[in-house]
Amino acid sequence: MPLHRGPEGPDARPMSVNPFFGQADPVGEMTEAPPRHRLPDGPLPPATAYQLVHDELMLDGNARLNLATFVTTWMEPQAATLMGECLDKNMIDKDEYPRTAELERRCVAMLADLWNAPDPSAAVGCSTTGSSEACMLAGMALKRRWAQRNADRCPGARPNLVMGVNVQVCWEKFCTFWEVEARQVPMEGDRFHLDPRAAAELCDENTIGVVGVLGSTFDGSYEPIAELCAELDRLRERTGLDVPVHVDGASGAMVAPFLDPDLVWDFRLPRVSSINTSGHKYGLVYPGVGWALWRTPAELPEELVFRVNYLGGDMPTFALNFSRPGAQVVAQYYTFLRLGREGYRAVQQAARDVATQLAAGVAELGDFRLLTRGDELPVLAFTTAPEVSAYDVFDVSRRMRERGWLVPAYTFPAHREDLSVLRVVCRNGFSSDLADLFLDDLRLLLPELHRQPHPWTRDKEAATGFHH
């Protein structure tokens, strides 16, 4: 979560309250306006408190038009009802809420089967608050297994983790928090993610693992996991180094099994030790749930699993968080039950169809060059064509926001800092009709942009709220 600071000065202006918020007498309940940055001296009627918060939140962007986020912004009313019924259930208290725990166990088993674990009944896994926590847990397991293999050299040796420069920021956090050297493969030319051979060349006896990303957030492309494993197989043959792979499938692990069943990226590859995904992305659940799975119990060192005597029950747990609501896990099980394999295939295919059609429409405008076309993750990334000089992607992002569309514009990382792109994430709920409206607004905007004398953006870091 982002860090926040308190107010820099005294609370000079209290909140404004409409007299009509009084439940019966328009002024009877309005003794004083509540402060903004300290607890009020007394309570407010619930309707008044609701309306104050509700009105302020109207200034947020429309989540359905947020084309920056991968996170689910629409679920069925029945799912929302189930979530409301489970908000008071503490997910960690498995002894008091055994059926919620059972639904979590079933979700893990379903994912193990979906990801082709050799023995789904032997695979181990857990729910998390999202892929960031799942990645932290997977990284911890990799580091502990490396330490066990190198007990004669630890703690003097410094571990490292190999990844592409395009990884999500949670991996940089993991390396910082757990004192692991991050070895990153840079982008080169039109390769915007990890190169398997370059990754293998960065490995040594201190490498705890290599992270492969099934669906880069920068452009929506799949990394070649099978090729990565093959390169690490050849590395073992040459040097004896046996380096495991973790697949960060935050988005793609809930897309590829349904739309690309012949793509080999999961536990079918013996070198893949663990996989994570975000249930709240293409798992189609509201924010707050992720999943981490390990091929077998051997991949998850037992000493990392805490067995807590909690409220009278023996509870094995592997998590960075403790108390959290069971609502998102229940919603995940509902969605698995509701859709099944064929339903997920239909939903993800619809999203991919919208993405590829939108990409074709953007290309037809003539002002843009596509980097990806939505045929892997339902995501398209594009930049301005070489001949366009009057505006840049940051101008487009800013002007589209005026029409309600939240489209991130950002610069690529090391070795491709020269490249700035726009990215559109097509999620369930972003229909072909909305895509047509998006294209209409973009098309209407182009003549105005062409009349600019030059791009207006000077500080590209401050030009967008998107920071990967």
Side-chain angles (χ1 to χ4, degrees), residues 171-188:
W171 287 107
E172 298 175 32
K173 289 183 179 179
F174 166 76
C175 290
T176 298
F177 294 167
W178 274 271
E179 298 181 326
V180 173
E181 177 192 356
R183 294 188 175 178
Q184 295 187 319
V185 177
M187 295 180 176
E188 295 289 350

mmCIF file with all atom_site columns, all heavy atoms in Angstrom, residues 171-188:
data_model
loop_
_atom_site.group_PDB
_atom_site.id
_atom_site.type_symbol
_atom_site.label_atom_id
_atom_site.label_alt_id
_atom_site.label_comp_id
_atom_site.label_asym_id
_atom_site.label_entity_id
_atom_site.label_seq_id
_atom_site.pdbx_PDB_ins_code
_atom_site.Cartn_x
_atom_site.Cartn_y
_atom_site.Cartn_z
_atom_site.occupancy
_atom_site.B_iso_or_equiv
_atom_site.pdbx_formal_charge
_atom_site.auth_seq_id
_atom_site.auth_comp_id
_atom_site.auth_asym_id
_atom_site.auth_atom_id
_atom_site.pdbx_PDB_model_num
ATOM 1   N N   . TRP A 1 171 ? 8.612  -7.615  -7.325  1.00 0.00 ? 171 TRP A N   1
ATOM 2   C CA  . TRP A 1 171 ? 9.854  -8.399  -7.295  1.00 0.00 ? 171 TRP A CA  1
ATOM 3   C C   . TRP A 1 171 ? 11.035 -7.551  -6.839  1.00 0.00 ? 171 TRP A C   1
ATOM 4   O O   . TRP A 1 171 ? 11.944 -8.050  -6.170  1.00 0.00 ? 171 TRP A O   1
ATOM 5   C CB  . TRP A 1 171 ? 10.120 -9.021  -8.664  1.00 0.00 ? 171 TRP A CB  1
ATOM 6   C CG  . TRP A 1 171 ? 9.180  -10.151 -8.941  1.00 0.00 ? 171 TRP A CG  1
ATOM 7   C CD1 . TRP A 1 171 ? 8.125  -10.170 -9.806  1.00 0.00 ? 171 TRP A CD1 1
ATOM 8   C CD2 . TRP A 1 171 ? 9.190  -11.435 -8.309  1.00 0.00 ? 171 TRP A CD2 1
ATOM 9   N NE1 . TRP A 1 171 ? 7.483  -11.366 -9.754  1.00 0.00 ? 171 TRP A NE1 1
ATOM 10  C CE2 . TRP A 1 171 ? 8.112  -12.168 -8.855  1.00 0.00 ? 171 TRP A CE2 1
ATOM 11  C CE3 . TRP A 1 171 ? 10.001 -12.040 -7.346  1.00 0.00 ? 171 TRP A CE3 1
ATOM 12  C CZ2 . TRP A 1 171 ? 7.828  -13.484 -8.453  1.00 0.00 ? 171 TRP A CZ2 1
ATOM 13  C CZ3 . TRP A 1 171 ? 9.721  -13.337 -6.952  1.00 0.00 ? 171 TRP A CZ3 1
ATOM 14  C CH2 . TRP A 1 171 ? 8.660  -14.048 -7.495  1.00 0.00 ? 171 TRP A CH2 1
ATOM 15  N N   . GLU A 1 172 ? 11.031 -6.285  -7.194  1.00 0.00 ? 172 GLU A N   1
ATOM 16  C CA  . GLU A 1 172 ? 12.061 -5.393  -6.665  1.00 0.00 ? 172 GLU A CA  1
ATOM 17  C C   . GLU A 1 172 ? 11.885 -5.222  -5.162  1.00 0.00 ? 172 GLU A C   1
ATOM 18  O O   . GLU A 1 172 ? 12.865 -5.160  -4.413  1.00 0.00 ? 172 GLU A O   1
ATOM 19  C CB  . GLU A 1 172 ? 11.983 -4.042  -7.379  1.00 0.00 ? 172 GLU A CB  1
ATOM 20  C CG  . GLU A 1 172 ? 12.230 -4.138  -8.885  1.00 0.00 ? 172 GLU A CG  1
ATOM 21  C CD  . GLU A 1 172 ? 12.018 -2.808  -9.583  1.00 0.00 ? 172 GLU A CD  1
ATOM 22  O OE1 . GLU A 1 172 ? 12.278 -1.759  -8.959  1.00 0.00 ? 172 GLU A OE1 1
ATOM 23  O OE2 . GLU A 1 172 ? 11.580 -2.813  -10.742 1.00 0.00 ? 172 GLU A OE2 1
ATOM 24  N N   . LYS A 1 173 ? 10.640 -5.157  -4.709  1.00 0.00 ? 173 LYS A N   1
ATOM 25  C CA  . LYS A 1 173 ? 10.381 -5.085  -3.274  1.00 0.00 ? 173 LYS A CA  1
ATOM 26  C C   . LYS A 1 173 ? 10.900 -6.337  -2.581  1.00 0.00 ? 173 LYS A C   1
ATOM 27  O O   . LYS A 1 173 ? 11.535 -6.257  -1.516  1.00 0.00 ? 173 LYS A O   1
ATOM 28  C CB  . LYS A 1 173 ? 8.883  -4.932  -3.004  1.00 0.00 ? 173 LYS A CB  1
ATOM 29  C CG  . LYS A 1 173 ? 8.292  -3.583  -3.364  1.00 0.00 ? 173 LYS A CG  1
ATOM 30  C CD  . LYS A 1 173 ? 6.815  -3.546  -2.976  1.00 0.00 ? 173 LYS A CD  1
ATOM 31  C CE  . LYS A 1 173 ? 6.184  -2.206  -3.303  1.00 0.00 ? 173 LYS A CE  1
ATOM 32  N NZ  . LYS A 1 173 ? 4.750  -2.172  -2.940  1.00 0.00 ? 173 LYS A NZ  1
ATOM 33  N N   . PHE A 1 174 ? 10.622 -7.498  -3.156  1.00 0.00 ? 174 PHE A N   1
ATOM 34  C CA  . PHE A 1 174 ? 11.094 -8.738  -2.536  1.00 0.00 ? 174 PHE A CA  1
ATOM 35  C C   . PHE A 1 174 ? 12.609 -8.711  -2.369  1.00 0.00 ? 174 PHE A C   1
ATOM 36  O O   . PHE A 1 174 ? 13.144 -9.033  -1.298  1.00 0.00 ? 174 PHE A O   1
ATOM 37  C CB  . PHE A 1 174 ? 10.690 -9.954  -3.372  1.00 0.00 ? 174 PHE A CB  1
ATOM 38  C CG  . PHE A 1 174 ? 11.431 -11.205 -2.973  1.00 0.00 ? 174 PHE A CG  1
ATOM 39  C CD1 . PHE A 1 174 ? 11.081 -11.895 -1.823  1.00 0.00 ? 174 PHE A CD1 1
ATOM 40  C CD2 . PHE A 1 174 ? 12.512 -11.656 -3.727  1.00 0.00 ? 174 PHE A CD2 1
ATOM 41  C CE1 . PHE A 1 174 ? 11.792 -13.026 -1.429  1.00 0.00 ? 174 PHE A CE1 1
ATOM 42  C CE2 . PHE A 1 174 ? 13.218 -12.786 -3.349  1.00 0.00 ? 174 PHE A CE2 1
ATOM 43  C CZ  . PHE A 1 174 ? 12.862 -13.466 -2.189  1.00 0.00 ? 174 PHE A CZ  1
ATOM 44  N N   . CYS A 1 175 ? 13.307 -8.341  -3.431  1.00 0.00 ? 175 CYS A N   1
ATOM 45  C CA  . CYS A 1 175 ? 14.775 -8.345  -3.367  1.00 0.00 ? 175 CYS A CA  1
ATOM 46  C C   . CYS A 1 175 ? 15.287 -7.357  -2.332  1.00 0.00 ? 175 CYS A C   1
ATOM 47  O O   . CYS A 1 175 ? 16.268 -7.630  -1.630  1.00 0.00 ? 175 CYS A O   1
ATOM 48  C CB  . CYS A 1 175 ? 15.350 -8.046  -4.749  1.00 0.00 ? 175 CYS A CB  1
ATOM 49  S SG  . CYS A 1 175 ? 15.104 -9.382  -5.945  1.00 0.00 ? 175 CYS A SG  1
ATOM 50  N N   . THR A 1 176 ? 14.624 -6.218  -2.209  1.00 0.00 ? 176 THR A N   1
ATOM 51  C CA  . THR A 1 176 ? 15.032 -5.224  -1.213  1.00 0.00 ? 176 THR A CA  1
ATOM 52  C C   . THR A 1 176 ? 14.734 -5.707  0.204   1.00 0.00 ? 176 THR A C   1
ATOM 53  O O   . THR A 1 176 ? 15.581 -5.654  1.088   1.00 0.00 ? 176 THR A O   1
ATOM 54  C CB  . THR A 1 176 ? 14.330 -3.891  -1.473  1.00 0.00 ? 176 THR A CB  1
ATOM 55  O OG1 . THR A 1 176 ? 14.719 -3.399  -2.774  1.00 0.00 ? 176 THR A OG1 1
ATOM 56  C CG2 . THR A 1 176 ? 14.723 -2.853  -0.440  1.00 0.00 ? 176 THR A CG2 1
ATOM 57  N N   . PHE A 1 177 ? 13.533 -6.187  0.417   1.00 0.00 ? 177 PHE A N   1
ATOM 58  C CA  . PHE A 1 177 ? 13.106 -6.579  1.758   1.00 0.00 ? 177 PHE A CA  1
ATOM 59  C C   . PHE A 1 177 ? 13.854 -7.811  2.261   1.00 0.00 ? 177 PHE A C   1
ATOM 60  O O   . PHE A 1 177 ? 14.139 -7.920  3.456   1.00 0.00 ? 177 PHE A O   1
ATOM 61  C CB  . PHE A 1 177 ? 11.603 -6.859  1.791   1.00 0.00 ? 177 PHE A CB  1
ATOM 62  C CG  . PHE A 1 177 ? 10.735 -5.657  1.536   1.00 0.00 ? 177 PHE A CG  1
ATOM 63  C CD1 . PHE A 1 177 ? 9.381  -5.800  1.270   1.00 0.00 ? 177 PHE A CD1 1
ATOM 64  C CD2 . PHE A 1 177 ? 11.252 -4.368  1.547   1.00 0.00 ? 177 PHE A CD2 1
ATOM 65  C CE1 . PHE A 1 177 ? 8.576  -4.705  1.039   1.00 0.00 ? 177 PHE A CE1 1
ATOM 66  C CE2 . PHE A 1 177 ? 10.460 -3.262  1.318   1.00 0.00 ? 177 PHE A CE2 1
ATOM 67  C CZ  . PHE A 1 177 ? 9.112  -3.431  1.058   1.00 0.00 ? 177 PHE A CZ  1
ATOM 68  N N   . TRP A 1 178 ? 14.161 -8.750  1.364   1.00 0.00 ? 178 TRP A N   1
ATOM 69  C CA  . TRP A 1 178 ? 14.781 -10.009 1.787   1.00 0.00 ? 178 TRP A CA  1
ATOM 70  C C   . TRP A 1 178 ? 16.265 -10.096 1.416   1.00 0.00 ? 178 TRP A C   1
ATOM 71  O O   . TRP A 1 178 ? 16.846 -11.155 1.433   1.00 0.00 ? 178 TRP A O   1
ATOM 72  C CB  . TRP A 1 178 ? 14.000 -11.193 1.224   1.00 0.00 ? 178 TRP A CB  1
ATOM 73  C CG  . TRP A 1 178 ? 12.860 -11.573 2.125   1.00 0.00 ? 178 TRP A CG  1
ATOM 74  C CD1 . TRP A 1 178 ? 12.887 -12.451 3.172   1.00 0.00 ? 178 TRP A CD1 1
ATOM 75  C CD2 . TRP A 1 178 ? 11.536 -11.059 2.094   1.00 0.00 ? 178 TRP A CD2 1
ATOM 76  N NE1 . TRP A 1 178 ? 11.674 -12.510 3.777   1.00 0.00 ? 178 TRP A NE1 1
ATOM 77  C CE2 . TRP A 1 178 ? 10.803 -11.661 3.143   1.00 0.00 ? 178 TRP A CE2 1
ATOM 78  C CE3 . TRP A 1 178 ? 10.878 -10.136 1.280   1.00 0.00 ? 178 TRP A CE3 1
ATOM 79  C CZ2 . TRP A 1 178 ? 9.473  -11.386 3.390   1.00 0.00 ? 178 TRP A CZ2 1
ATOM 80  C CZ3 . TRP A 1 178 ? 9.554  -9.863  1.536   1.00 0.00 ? 178 TRP A CZ3 1
ATOM 81  C CH2 . TRP A 1 178 ? 8.858  -10.471 2.576   1.00 0.00 ? 178 TRP A CH2 1
ATOM 82  N N   . GLU A 1 179 ? 16.852 -8.952  1.078   1.00 0.00 ? 179 GLU A N   1
ATOM 83  C CA  . GLU A 1 179 ? 18.298 -8.848  0.851   1.00 0.00 ? 179 GLU A CA  1
ATOM 84  C C   . GLU A 1 179 ? 18.792 -9.855  -0.185  1.00 0.00 ? 179 GLU A C   1
ATOM 85  O O   . GLU A 1 179 ? 19.676 -10.670 0.049   1.00 0.00 ? 179 GLU A O   1
ATOM 86  C CB  . GLU A 1 179 ? 19.052 -9.019  2.178   1.00 0.00 ? 179 GLU A CB  1
ATOM 87  C CG  . GLU A 1 179 ? 18.701 -7.924  3.189   1.00 0.00 ? 179 GLU A CG  1
ATOM 88  C CD  . GLU A 1 179 ? 19.466 -8.063  4.494   1.00 0.00 ? 179 GLU A CD  1
ATOM 89  O OE1 . GLU A 1 179 ? 19.741 -9.209  4.901   1.00 0.00 ? 179 GLU A OE1 1
ATOM 90  O OE2 . GLU A 1 179 ? 19.776 -7.032  5.099   1.00 0.00 ? 179 GLU A OE2 1
ATOM 91  N N   . VAL A 1 180 ? 18.164 -9.777  -1.342  1.00 0.00 ? 180 VAL A N   1
ATOM 92  C CA  . VAL A 1 180 ? 18.525 -10.606 -2.488  1.00 0.00 ? 180 VAL A CA  1
ATOM 93  C C   . VAL A 1 180 ? 18.939 -9.676  -3.620  1.00 0.00 ? 180 VAL A C   1
ATOM 94  O O   . VAL A 1 180 ? 18.278 -8.668  -3.880  1.00 0.00 ? 180 VAL A O   1
ATOM 95  C CB  . VAL A 1 180 ? 17.332 -11.487 -2.924  1.00 0.00 ? 180 VAL A CB  1
ATOM 96  C CG1 . VAL A 1 180 ? 17.638 -12.222 -4.215  1.00 0.00 ? 180 VAL A CG1 1
ATOM 97  C CG2 . VAL A 1 180 ? 16.967 -12.471 -1.818  1.00 0.00 ? 180 VAL A CG2 1
ATOM 98  N N   . GLU A 1 181 ? 20.032 -9.992  -4.283  1.00 0.00 ? 181 GLU A N   1
ATOM 99  C CA  . GLU A 1 181 ? 20.477 -9.189  -5.422  1.00 0.00 ? 181 GLU A CA  1
ATOM 100 C C   . GLU A 1 181 ? 19.547 -9.432  -6.610  1.00 0.00 ? 181 GLU A C   1
ATOM 101 O O   . GLU A 1 181 ? 19.313 -10.575 -7.008  1.00 0.00 ? 181 GLU A O   1
ATOM 102 C CB  . GLU A 1 181 ? 21.903 -9.567  -5.802  1.00 0.00 ? 181 GLU A CB  1
ATOM 103 C CG  . GLU A 1 181 ? 22.421 -8.829  -7.043  1.00 0.00 ? 181 GLU A CG  1
ATOM 104 C CD  . GLU A 1 181 ? 23.706 -9.410  -7.586  1.00 0.00 ? 181 GLU A CD  1
ATOM 105 O OE1 . GLU A 1 181 ? 24.257 -10.344 -6.967  1.00 0.00 ? 181 GLU A OE1 1
ATOM 106 O OE2 . GLU A 1 181 ? 24.154 -8.935  -8.655  1.00 0.00 ? 181 GLU A OE2 1
ATOM 107 N N   . ALA A 1 182 ? 19.017 -8.363  -7.176  1.00 0.00 ? 182 ALA A N   1
ATOM 108 C CA  . ALA A 1 182 ? 18.169 -8.465  -8.365  1.00 0.00 ? 182 ALA A CA  1
ATOM 109 C C   . ALA A 1 182 ? 19.048 -8.378  -9.606  1.00 0.00 ? 182 ALA A C   1
ATOM 110 O O   . ALA A 1 182 ? 19.681 -7.353  -9.852  1.00 0.00 ? 182 ALA A O   1
ATOM 111 C CB  . ALA A 1 182 ? 17.131 -7.352  -8.373  1.00 0.00 ? 182 ALA A CB  1
ATOM 112 N N   . ARG A 1 183 ? 19.079 -9.439  -10.386 1.00 0.00 ? 183 ARG A N   1
ATOM 113 C CA  . ARG A 1 183 ? 19.817 -9.447  -11.658 1.00 0.00 ? 183 ARG A CA  1
ATOM 114 C C   . ARG A 1 183 ? 18.800 -9.391  -12.786 1.00 0.00 ? 183 ARG A C   1
ATOM 115 O O   . ARG A 1 183 ? 18.055 -10.344 -13.009 1.00 0.00 ? 183 ARG A O   1
ATOM 116 C CB  . ARG A 1 183 ? 20.691 -10.693 -11.765 1.00 0.00 ? 183 ARG A CB  1
ATOM 117 C CG  . ARG A 1 183 ? 21.810 -10.720 -10.733 1.00 0.00 ? 183 ARG A CG  1
ATOM 118 C CD  . ARG A 1 183 ? 22.773 -11.863 -10.968 1.00 0.00 ? 183 ARG A CD  1
ATOM 119 N NE  . ARG A 1 183 ? 23.904 -11.805 -10.042 1.00 0.00 ? 183 ARG A NE  1
ATOM 120 C CZ  . ARG A 1 183 ? 24.893 -12.704 -9.999  1.00 0.00 ? 183 ARG A CZ  1
ATOM 121 N NH1 . ARG A 1 183 ? 24.881 -13.740 -10.845 1.00 0.00 ? 183 ARG A NH1 1
ATOM 122 N NH2 . ARG A 1 183 ? 25.870 -12.569 -9.130  1.00 0.00 ? 183 ARG A NH2 1
ATOM 123 N N   . GLN A 1 184 ? 18.774 -8.279  -13.490 1.00 0.00 ? 184 GLN A N   1
ATOM 124 C CA  . GLN A 1 184 ? 17.719 -8.038  -14.462 1.00 0.00 ? 184 GLN A CA  1
ATOM 125 C C   . GLN A 1 184 ? 18.251 -8.061  -15.890 1.00 0.00 ? 184 GLN A C   1
ATOM 126 O O   . GLN A 1 184 ? 19.278 -7.443  -16.203 1.00 0.00 ? 184 GLN A O   1
ATOM 127 C CB  . GLN A 1 184 ? 17.049 -6.695  -14.179 1.00 0.00 ? 184 GLN A CB  1
ATOM 128 C CG  . GLN A 1 184 ? 16.316 -6.663  -12.834 1.00 0.00 ? 184 GLN A CG  1
ATOM 129 C CD  . GLN A 1 184 ? 15.524 -5.396  -12.631 1.00 0.00 ? 184 GLN A CD  1
ATOM 130 O OE1 . GLN A 1 184 ? 15.985 -4.309  -12.961 1.00 0.00 ? 184 GLN A OE1 1
ATOM 131 N NE2 . GLN A 1 184 ? 14.319 -5.523  -12.091 1.00 0.00 ? 184 GLN A NE2 1
ATOM 132 N N   . VAL A 1 185 ? 17.531 -8.764  -16.736 1.00 0.00 ? 185 VAL A N   1
ATOM 133 C CA  . VAL A 1 185 ? 17.840 -8.798  -18.166 1.00 0.00 ? 185 VAL A CA  1
ATOM 134 C C   . VAL A 1 185 ? 17.204 -7.572  -18.795 1.00 0.00 ? 185 VAL A C   1
ATOM 135 O O   . VAL A 1 185 ? 15.976 -7.388  -18.722 1.00 0.00 ? 185 VAL A O   1
ATOM 136 C CB  . VAL A 1 185 ? 17.285 -10.079 -18.813 1.00 0.00 ? 185 VAL A CB  1
ATOM 137 C CG1 . VAL A 1 185 ? 17.557 -10.071 -20.316 1.00 0.00 ? 185 VAL A CG1 1
ATOM 138 C CG2 . VAL A 1 185 ? 17.890 -11.315 -18.154 1.00 0.00 ? 185 VAL A CG2 1
ATOM 139 N N   . PRO A 1 186 ? 17.976 -6.696  -19.423 1.00 0.00 ? 186 PRO A N   1
ATOM 140 C CA  . PRO A 1 186 ? 17.397 -5.473  -19.998 1.00 0.00 ? 186 PRO A CA  1
ATOM 141 C C   . PRO A 1 186 ? 16.624 -5.752  -21.282 1.00 0.00 ? 186 PRO A C   1
ATOM 142 O O   . PRO A 1 186 ? 16.768 -6.811  -21.908 1.00 0.00 ? 186 PRO A O   1
ATOM 143 C CB  . PRO A 1 186 ? 18.630 -4.607  -20.275 1.00 0.00 ? 186 PRO A CB  1
ATOM 144 C CG  . PRO A 1 186 ? 19.726 -5.594  -20.514 1.00 0.00 ? 186 PRO A CG  1
ATOM 145 C CD  . PRO A 1 186 ? 19.443 -6.750  -19.594 1.00 0.00 ? 186 PRO A CD  1
ATOM 146 N N   . MET A 1 187 ? 15.795 -4.791  -21.673 1.00 0.00 ? 187 MET A N   1
ATOM 147 C CA  . MET A 1 187 ? 15.145 -4.848  -22.969 1.00 0.00 ? 187 MET A CA  1
ATOM 148 C C   . MET A 1 187 ? 16.150 -4.516  -24.058 1.00 0.00 ? 187 MET A C   1
ATOM 149 O O   . MET A 1 187 ? 17.095 -3.762  -23.839 1.00 0.00 ? 187 MET A O   1
ATOM 150 C CB  . MET A 1 187 ? 13.989 -3.850  -23.024 1.00 0.00 ? 187 MET A CB  1
ATOM 151 C CG  . MET A 1 187 ? 12.845 -4.153  -22.084 1.00 0.00 ? 187 MET A CG  1
ATOM 152 S SD  . MET A 1 187 ? 11.531 -2.902  -22.230 1.00 0.00 ? 187 MET A SD  1
ATOM 153 C CE  . MET A 1 187 ? 10.308 -3.588  -21.099 1.00 0.00 ? 187 MET A CE  1
ATOM 154 N N   . GLU A 1 188 ? 15.943 -5.079  -25.226 1.00 0.00 ? 188 GLU A N   1
ATOM 155 C CA  . GLU A 1 188 ? 16.806 -4.786  -26.369 1.00 0.00 ? 188 GLU A CA  1
ATOM 156 C C   . GLU A 1 188 ? 15.952 -4.701  -27.619 1.00 0.00 ? 188 GLU A C   1
ATOM 157 O O   . GLU A 1 188 ? 15.183 -5.623  -27.914 1.00 0.00 ? 188 GLU A O   1
ATOM 158 C CB  . GLU A 1 188 ? 17.867 -5.876  -26.560 1.00 0.00 ? 188 GLU A CB  1
ATOM 159 C CG  . GLU A 1 188 ? 18.883 -6.002  -25.433 1.00 0.00 ? 188 GLU A CG  1
ATOM 160 C CD  . GLU A 1 188 ? 19.863 -4.841  -25.382 1.00 0.00 ? 188 GLU A CD  1
ATOM 161 O OE1 . GLU A 1 188 ? 19.872 -4.033  -26.349 1.00 0.00 ? 188 GLU A OE1 1
ATOM 162 O OE2 . GLU A 1 188 ? 20.616 -4.748  -24.399 1.00 0.00 ? 188 GLU A OE2 1
#
